[in-house]
């Protein structure tokens, strides 16, 4: 993603937060069918090694103007994969490049979405990651004193 931290910096942040006692989950997103989906098992291993407790994913969504931007980017950078990637996205989105229905928009549906979900769950477990974060605790928070007045 443009202007996003490099993967090594993200892994370092996971390690630093984990070392400080903060429970960390990693969001692997966007998963682009036919382009980066095969990288998920290695990413899960890396976030587990960095100390994450769990991981989740979101399949690429292309609402509104993002459709054209993504198609242009894909055509310029991976022209040999355009049909494969767009076809798989459409297969997960009911024939469209986006499906905004709650429950479908983050994971998609269909054969590829089901297969990827199974791969992700198996890879997450193999990496030693849980399927959820531990319950939140407020044990380390202190109740503040009274609010001072502004004037």
């Amino acid at each position: 993603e443009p202007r996003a931290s490099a993967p090594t910096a993200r892994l370092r942040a996971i390690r630093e937060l984990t070392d400080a006692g903060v429970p960390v989950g990693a969001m692997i997103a966007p998963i682009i069918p036919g382009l980066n989906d095969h990288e998920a098992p290695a990413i899960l291993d890396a976030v587990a090694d960095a100390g994450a407790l769990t991981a989740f994913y979101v399949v690429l969504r292309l609402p509104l103007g993002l459709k054209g931007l993504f198609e242009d980017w894909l055509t310029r950078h991976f022209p040999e994969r355009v049909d494969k990637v767009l076809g798989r996205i459409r297969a997960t989105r009911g024939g469209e490049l986006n499906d905004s229905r709650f429950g479908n928009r983050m994971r998609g549906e269909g054969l590829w979405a089901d297969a990827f979900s199974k791969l992700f769950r198996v890879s997450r477990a193999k990496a030693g990651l849980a399927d959820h974060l531990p319950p939140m605790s407020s044990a380390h928070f202190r109740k503040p004193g009274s609010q001072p007045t502004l004037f």
Side-chain angles (χ1 to χ4, degrees):
E1 292 181 30
R3 297 174 293 283
S5 299
T8 54
R10 295 176 193 202
L11 292 170
R12 186 173 54 251
I14 291 171
R15 170 55 52 210
E16 290 177 10
L17 288 166
T18 299
D19 288 348
V22 177
V24 177
M27 177 58 73
I28 315 299
I31 297 295
I32 305 172
L35 190 61
N36 69 356
D37 49 337
H38 68 281
E39 297 173 350
I43 294 170
L44 291 167
D45 287 339
V47 299
D49 290 345
L53 299 177
T54 189
F56 308 97
Y57 71 94
V58 175
V59 176
L60 179 69
R61 296 177 56 223
L62 296 171
L64 306 172
L66 292 180
K67 295 173 188 180
L69 290 172
F70 180 76
E71 286 185 57
D72 180 59
W73 175 86
L74 188 61
T75 301
R76 279 187 283 118
H77 295 282
F78 298 97
E80 72 285 358
R81 294 190 193 182
V82 171
D83 292 337
K84 177 182 180 179
V85 171
L86 295 179
R88 284 195 181 168
I89 294 170
R90 285 187 177 98
T92 67
R93 305 288 182 205
E96 302 295 327
L97 292 176
N98 186 47
D99 179 358
S100 60
R101 291 178 297 151
F102 186 80
N104 289 343
R105 64 180 169 228
M106 299 305 187
R107 302 270 186 249
E109 59 187 0
L111 294 175
W112 180 89
D114 292 344
F116 184 79
S117 176
K118 289 174 186 169
L119 170 70
F120 193 88
R121 284 195 315 268
V122 167
S123 298
R124 181 174 59 194
K126 185 177 176 188
L129 297 165
D131 61 358
H132 62 278
L133 280 170
M136 299 299 280
S137 168
S138 60
H140 298 291
F141 290 93
R142 290 174 284 153
K143 185 176 179 179
S146 62
Q147 177 71 33
T149 60
L150 184 58
F151 300 102

